[in-house]
Amino acid sequence: MQDTKAQNETGAAAGAERGPRDVLIQRTFFAGTRSWVNDQLYTREHAGRVRRTRDTLHLGAGARVDTNTYFGRFEASYWQRWTELDSVRVEVAIETESGGEVDVLVRASDIGSHVRTVDFTRHIGSGTASLTVPVTSFYDGGGMWLDLRAFDHDARITSIRWYATTTRERRQTAIAICTFNRADDCAATVSALAEDSEVVDLVGTVYLTDQGTDLVETRENLQQAKGIFGDKLRYIRQANLGGAGGFSRGLFEATSTDSLASGPVDTLLMDDDVRVEPESVLRLFAFAQLTRSPILVGAQMLYLFNPDYLLVSGERTDMSQLKAGLDSDDWAVRDESVIDNIQERRIDAEYNAWWSCLVPSEVTEDIGLPMPYFFQWDDIEYGIRARQAGYPTATLQGAAVWHADFYWKDADDFGQFFYQRNSLITATIRHGITRKQAIARLRRTIGQTIASMSYGLAITRIRGIEAFLEGPSTLDDGGQRALQSIRAERERYPETKKLPVDAMPAGVTVARREGTPDDSADDKILGKRAVQALLGRKRPGPVSIPFEDAKWWHVSLFAEAYVTDASQTGVRHRTFDRQRAIAITKELEAVLRRLNSEFDAAAERWRAAQPELTGRENWERLYNS
């Protein structure tokens, strides 16, 4: 870390010899790129006649608008905390009749949502209003925005731009997108980036890694985007190594000797199926240009089906419980509209998921590439590893992409194998869990799965534990063997398959849950449900259980249940099988006995193997396999 900091300071000093330069750090748009985006994410109307397009704000005489919105605010708290910025210049391009007046106010908030005016100008006629304001009193929270009012003439605001001045050397930029048979989604994402000419100019290289058989290059809009990006767009074909393999390929290419010959590279990892706000890309790259030292910079996730709802302000793990995706702060906004709930407090994240996350080349050079996990926990592990090496993550408020709501994804799928295996590997390598904690957590969660008649899911998780105990050799092929094996085994369990709604008998009774027991009662309830099952005291079925009510302690009451799939497009038919439940419970206890005796040795093998697993040689071998 010391060498990296020294390089960064040297680069800054070299830049100083060339003199100061302006960096465009934020543009304020007035509406979204598409009609499905709520324009209140960009501007708020207060009075008078207002018409807005993405690029132009039309104000009738007497109209007033502000930009105290998710995409309209300048998130000063994050800039003060993480960057060298101490002031910012905002320029507002105004068109109006001769003598027309427009008030331009820079307003600011603090951690408690108290509002103050930072600067003000009354602009007469057409031209550019320019205001320079300090970024020095926002450490714990707060942001800045513009309040605009036209007086006795109509006016048009055609541009709002925020600039910083720096002597830093320009850093190279790259975007890495990977895909597996989501050709339409991936092509649409690249096409959306290509529609913004300033983003096209900003980005040095786009690495598009296609691991599928339905090739993205066959899509017309991808070809059109390629015509815009030109040689900047590098299309790479490789075997399916999962998200970890696809994103690692982008980092691998961006940190090659040839790529780094022109200086450090900031690589933005981005999912193939997001709907991107191009402005978020500009903000992430600008932020990374000015951080005091290299850090990971992440975008937030807005829901695709509810476009003004935020997943969470920032995320953390509880490795002792093998949990991720937790609120990083009690004050974080989660599952709420960011139109109605503006995040004032600065929220510090432990890691950022790779729906959009920027990784500086200094980080990759220091800590290596991601683990060859195939998918699940690759982004989490990398963020934690970086943090422990001295490279924190900033999840930048006001930078976001839209991603399919996690609420609509069912947890009973083959991915749970990778989640179980990779969470155990991560927690042990990073010293986040003890043997006792692991055994208690796994006995509880898999026991609950067995009790609720999800036998295939229980086996999926047990296989994940076995793969952890197998050691680093389980990652030798990048995940293909494990993927095929767990998919084949899950076929033996009928409740893992989603059935059409008409597979459920007509007139079946709906069984809703009543209340929610305290978490501290989990083990007691699990024991009670196990005794009831062995004694044949389950409630007869069939019953229909809505997804919202399908908690393990409720489903486990019944002998037969049709449980709505999270996608709301079908049902899972779960039936009590006494023999199968006993057999899987015995298998669980056997693997937990192994875990008890082999945990420490397995943890040491994983820790010793990580440098090789994350090295360029290992990944190059996988790419060429």
Side-chain angles (χ1 to χ4, degrees), residues 47-291:
R49 293 180 293 106
V50 177
R51 183 168 64 85
R52 51 191 166 187
T53 64
R54 181 162 173 82
D55 300 305
T56 305
L57 184 64
H58 301 261
L59 301 176
R64 176 174 165 253
V65 167
D66 75 37
T67 65
N68 186 20
T69 61
Y70 183 82
F71 286 116
R73 287 162 59 96
F74 174 74
E75 296 295 347
S77 179
Y78 290 83
W79 285 87
Q80 181 179 348
R81 168 65 182 91
W82 296 109
T83 76
E84 65 174 14
L85 191 66
D86 57 13
S87 66
V88 62
R89 185 177 81 255
V90 57
E91 295 188 352
V92 184
I94 301 169
E95 294 179 359
T96 186
E97 295 179 19
S98 178
E101 298 180 353
V102 176
D103 273 355
V104 180
L105 292 83
V106 180
R107 304 275 272 166
S109 59
D110 60 17
I111 190 173
S113 299
H114 306 106
V115 176
R116 63 190 186 274
T117 299
V118 180
D119 202 357
F120 161 83
T121 185
R122 176 164 291 177
H123 192 272
I124 302 174
S126 297
T128 299
S130 180
L131 302 93
T132 298
V133 291
V135 185
T136 54
S137 53
F138 299 92
Y139 190 81
D140 288 333
M144 289 190 283
W145 63 90
L146 295 182
D147 200 318
L148 305 161
R149 181 184 175 189
F151 276 84
D152 53 353
H153 292 84
D154 292 355
R156 289 178 302 282
I157 311 299
T158 58
S159 171
I160 298 175
R161 292 173 169 248
W162 302 72
Y163 292 94
T165 301
T166 184
T167 56
R168 291 277 189 92
E169 183 180 1
R170 287 183 176 86
R171 297 174 63 87
Q172 297 185 88
T173 57
I175 295 177
I177 301 172
C178 65
T179 189
F180 175 75
N181 290 347
R182 284 179 172 166
D184 290 336
D185 288 337
C186 185
T189 297
V190 179
S191 181
L193 294 170
E195 290 175 3
D196 191 314
S197 60
E198 287 186 289
V199 169
V200 172
D201 291 341
L202 172 66
V203 175
T205 310
V206 178
Y207 299 102
L208 175 50
T209 303
D210 195 338
Q211 304 183 122
T213 53
D214 183 11
L215 301 181
V216 184
E217 65 180 348
T218 63
R219 299 310 195 264
E220 183 180 350
N221 52 345
L222 191 280
Q223 292 302 319
Q224 292 170 349
K226 189 174 182 180
I228 296 170
F229 277 111
D231 292 341
K232 291 182 177 182
L233 180 57
R234 289 188 52 191
Y235 185 75
I236 301 168
R237 293 281 311 282
Q238 68 181 33
N240 183 21
L241 299 171
F247 286 127
S248 294
R249 185 60 182 269
L251 291 174
F252 180 90
E253 298 292 339
T255 55
S256 69
T257 301
D258 289 344
S259 295
L260 294 178
S262 300
V265 183
D266 292 327
T267 303
L268 177 58
L269 309 178
M270 183 179 292
D271 270 348
D272 56 353
D273 60 342
V274 298
R275 292 190 184 176
V276 63
E277 167 53 80
E279 171 61 14
S280 295
V281 174
L282 184 145
R283 293 182 187 184
L284 293 173
F285 281 129
F287 195 85
Q289 288 274 338
L290 298 172
T291 55

Side-chain angles (χ1 to χ4, degrees), residues 176-421:
I177 301 172
C178 65
T179 189
F180 175 75
N181 290 347
R182 284 179 172 166
D184 290 336
D185 288 337
C186 185
T189 297
V190 179
S191 181
L193 294 170
E195 290 175 3
D196 191 314
S197 60
E198 287 186 289
V199 169
V200 172
D201 291 341
L202 172 66
V203 175
T205 310
V206 178
Y207 299 102
L208 175 50
T209 303
D210 195 338
Q211 304 183 122
T213 53
D214 183 11
L215 301 181
V216 184
E217 65 180 348
T218 63
R219 299 310 195 264
E220 183 180 350
N221 52 345
L222 191 280
Q223 292 302 319
Q224 292 170 349
K226 189 174 182 180
I228 296 170
F229 277 111
D231 292 341
K232 291 182 177 182
L233 180 57
R234 289 188 52 191
Y235 185 75
I236 301 168
R237 293 281 311 282
Q238 68 181 33
N240 183 21
L241 299 171
F247 286 127
S248 294
R249 185 60 182 269
L251 291 174
F252 180 90
E253 298 292 339
T255 55
S256 69
T257 301
D258 289 344
S259 295
L260 294 178
S262 300
V265 183
D266 292 327
T267 303
L268 177 58
L269 309 178
M270 183 179 292
D271 270 348
D272 56 353
D273 60 342
V274 298
R275 292 190 184 176
V276 63
E277 167 53 80
E279 171 61 14
S280 295
V281 174
L282 184 145
R283 293 182 187 184
L284 293 173
F285 281 129
F287 195 85
Q289 288 274 338
L290 298 172
T291 55
R292 295 186 185 91
S293 59
I295 66 172
L296 280 66
V297 187
Q300 296 181 326
M301 179 188 135
L302 297 171
Y303 290 161
L304 184 59
F305 297 154
N306 298 280
D308 60 316
Y309 270 64
L310 181 70
L311 173 66
V312 65
S313 303
E315 295 187 289
R316 67 172 176 86
T317 63
D318 182 348
M319 286 190 283
S320 70
Q321 296 299 305
L322 303 176
K323 290 182 178 180
L326 304 173
D327 294 355
S328 58
D329 192 304
D330 289 341
W331 293 91
V333 171
R334 173 182 283 277
D335 293 334
E336 292 183 272
S337 169
V338 287
I339 291 173
D340 303 325
N341 299 278
I342 292 176
Q343 180 80 59
E344 294 288 10
R345 289 175 179 259
R346 192 192 73 250
I347 304 296
D348 290 340
E350 184 180 19
Y351 69 92
N352 200 97
W354 287 349
W355 47 67
S356 280
C357 184
L358 181 150
V359 181
S361 56
E362 293 94 332
V363 177
T364 305
E365 288 181 286
D366 189 4
I367 72 170
L369 292 159
M371 287 284 282
Y373 276 167
F374 191 75
F375 82 141
Q376 299 283 2
W377 278 73
D378 46 331
D379 46 4
I380 299 166
E381 188 280 329
Y382 200 78
I384 296 170
R385 190 183 351 148
R387 175 172 288 273
Q388 291 183 355
Y391 305 98
T393 294
T395 295
L396 183 59
Q397 180 83 2
V401 295
W402 288 274
H403 189 284
D405 308 23
F406 290 157
Y407 176 88
W408 295 84
K409 295 184 178 182
D410 203 287
D412 191 353
D413 65 10
F414 69 87
Q416 289 299 308
F417 165 85
F418 294 99
Y419 189 98
Q420 193 72 86
R421 183 194 70 182

